[in-house]
């Protein structure tokens, strides 16, 4: 199953992708996580991406498209994948389609996690992320057992650099201007299902699975 999870910053894409990845035994491909690893390791991509990420802007398409195309070619993606944070604009959606077509693949469903702006800001301000496995916690809504340690792998928890108030605003703006129109593109193809992203995390996972089931079998092949 080839899945895209969409939604604004803080909607729960990472949280839900990890749960779906465990459930369906297919990898989560998070462009944000891959970019943060590149920044930490000071790779060529990381050095170019950092300034864009720090101000909440999109990293140039060429870098991200290349990164995703390579990742989707890995053996563990052959049975399916969950894209988290990609595509984020029209060009990336087109490039993804081209990459998948070349490999004889297609997207089965695009699920949008919908959450209102005020709640997003609250979630991002309280988020803590594991340095080792990228699991997301929230000091208010989803606290770890020990404040500085990941429940799953024991890794250290930290606050993302782009979870500052002014950067959050910039990220939300970019989402509305560039990414939201992509949901319409997928709606037009009969692949998009929006779900309410407010409530208990496990219930949201179930809504996503229901929405996936509704979309599968309703797939229009690319022209
Ligand atoms: P990215 O890492 O993708 O960030 P984002 O889209 O801004 O989304 P987030 O990771 O902030 O939120 P999320 O939806 O994953 O929520 P989470 O599950 O953590 O991108 C970062 C940057 O990288 C971009 O700004 C850009 O510069 C660059 N980039 C990435 N992809 C790119 C691309 N394709 N092209 C160009 N540039 C790209 O949850 C958030 C919080 O809420 C957590 O604290 C969590 O515990 C909590 N939470 C989750 N669910 C619930 C719930 N149901 N109730 C209460 N709290 C909840
Ligand atoms: Mg995320």
């Amino acid at each position: 199953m080839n899945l895209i999870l969409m939604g604004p910053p803080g909607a729960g894409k990472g949280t839900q992708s990890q749960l779906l990845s465990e459930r369906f035994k297919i990898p989560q491909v998070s462009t944000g996580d891959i970019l943060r690893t590149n920044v930490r390791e000071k790779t060529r991509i990381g050095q170019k991406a950092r300034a864009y990420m720090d101000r909440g802007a999109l990293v140039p398409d060429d870098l991200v498209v290349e990164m995703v195309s390579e990742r989707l070619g890995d053996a563990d993606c052959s049975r399916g994948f969950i894209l988290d944070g990609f595509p984020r604009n029209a060009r990336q959606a087109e490039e993804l389609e081209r990459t998948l077509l070349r490999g004889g693949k297609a997207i089965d469903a695009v699920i949008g996690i919908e959450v209102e702006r005020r709640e997003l800001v609250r979630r991002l301000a309280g988020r803590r992320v594991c340095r080792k496995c990228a699991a997301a916690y929230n000091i208010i809504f989803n606290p770890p057992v020990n404040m500085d340690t990941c429940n799953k792998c024991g890794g250290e928890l930290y606050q993302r650099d782009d979870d500052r108030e002014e950067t959050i605003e910039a990220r939300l703006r970019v989402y509305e201007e560039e990414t939201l129109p992509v949901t319409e593109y997928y709606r037009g193809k009969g692949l998009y299902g929006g779900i309410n992203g407010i409530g208990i995390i496990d219930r949201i996972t179930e809504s996503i699975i229901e929405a996936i089931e509704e979309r599968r079998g309703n797939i229009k092949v690319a022209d």
Side-chain angles (χ1 to χ4, degrees):
M1 178 173 64
N2 303 332
L3 187 64
I4 299 176
L5 275 198
M6 296 190 71
K13 301 183 294 296
T15 303
Q16 294 298 335
S17 297
Q18 287 206 343
L19 293 168
L20 292 166
S21 166
E22 285 161 21
R23 181 92 150 235
F24 293 116
K25 310 270 182 282
I26 51 176
Q28 168 200 21
V29 176
S30 159
T31 43
D33 288 348
I34 300 172
L35 285 166
R36 277 183 290 279
T37 302
N38 276 279
V39 168
R40 199 169 53 238
E41 293 174 356
K42 298 192 171 64
T43 64
R44 173 186 65 91
I45 288 180
Q47 281 170 344
K48 287 190 184 162
R50 180 171 195 153
Y52 296 94
M53 297 174 79
D54 280 350
R55 62 170 195 272
L58 292 186
V59 170
D61 293 335
D62 293 346
L63 283 186
V64 184
V65 166
E66 178 194 333
M67 228 171 63
V68 172
S69 305
E70 274 181 23
R71 180 67 187 92
L72 295 185
D74 289 345
D76 64 334
C77 291
S78 63
R79 283 186 47 252
F81 51 79
I82 304 164
L83 279 170
D84 157 9
F86 184 93
R88 259 172 143 101
N89 59 24
R91 162 117 193 269
Q92 293 182 11
E94 285 159 18
E95 293 290 347
L96 173 65
E97 200 152 299
R98 225 166 278 151
T99 303
L100 292 178
L101 269 177
R102 271 201 304 272
K105 296 179 185 173
I107 293 297
D108 294 311
V110 180
I111 307 301
I113 308 176
E114 297 168 353
V115 176
E116 49 134 357
R117 199 183 172 101
R118 260 211 346 227
E119 168 82 3
L120 295 171
V121 175
R122 275 203 298 263
R123 286 186 185 184
L124 292 173
R127 173 166 58 187
R128 298 293 181 274
V129 182
C130 176
R131 269 193 211 285
K132 227 160 113 189
C133 75
Y137 298 87
N138 189 287
I139 51 174
I140 297 161
F141 305 118
N142 177 26
V145 177
N146 298 309
M147 242 3 185
D148 302 320
T149 315
C150 177
N151 293 352
K152 293 182 185 165
C153 75
E156 182 202 355
L157 301 184
Y158 78 108
Q159 187 162 25
R160 265 170 52 177
D161 287 341
D162 60 350
D163 280 347
R164 293 179 313 244
E165 210 177 309
E166 64 280 14
T167 319
I168 291 173
E169 282 302 320
R171 287 159 60 204
L172 289 168
R173 227 177 12 251
V174 168
Y175 173 78
E176 278 157 19
E177 287 168 9
E178 300 201 40
T179 311
L180 207 50
V182 180
T183 62
E184 292 310 314
Y185 170 77
Y186 286 120
R187 202 190 295 276
K189 287 177 167 284
L191 292 174
Y192 185 80
I195 61 115
N196 174 13
I198 298 196
I200 295 165
I201 289 174
D202 289 344
R203 294 230 183 100
I204 295 170
T205 312
E206 294 312 316
S207 314
I208 294 175
I209 292 171
E210 277 169 30
I212 295 169
E213 292 307 326
E214 280 171 26
R215 298 287 116 23
R216 294 183 86 181
N218 185 23
I219 304 160
K220 289 185 190 161
V221 180
D223 299 327

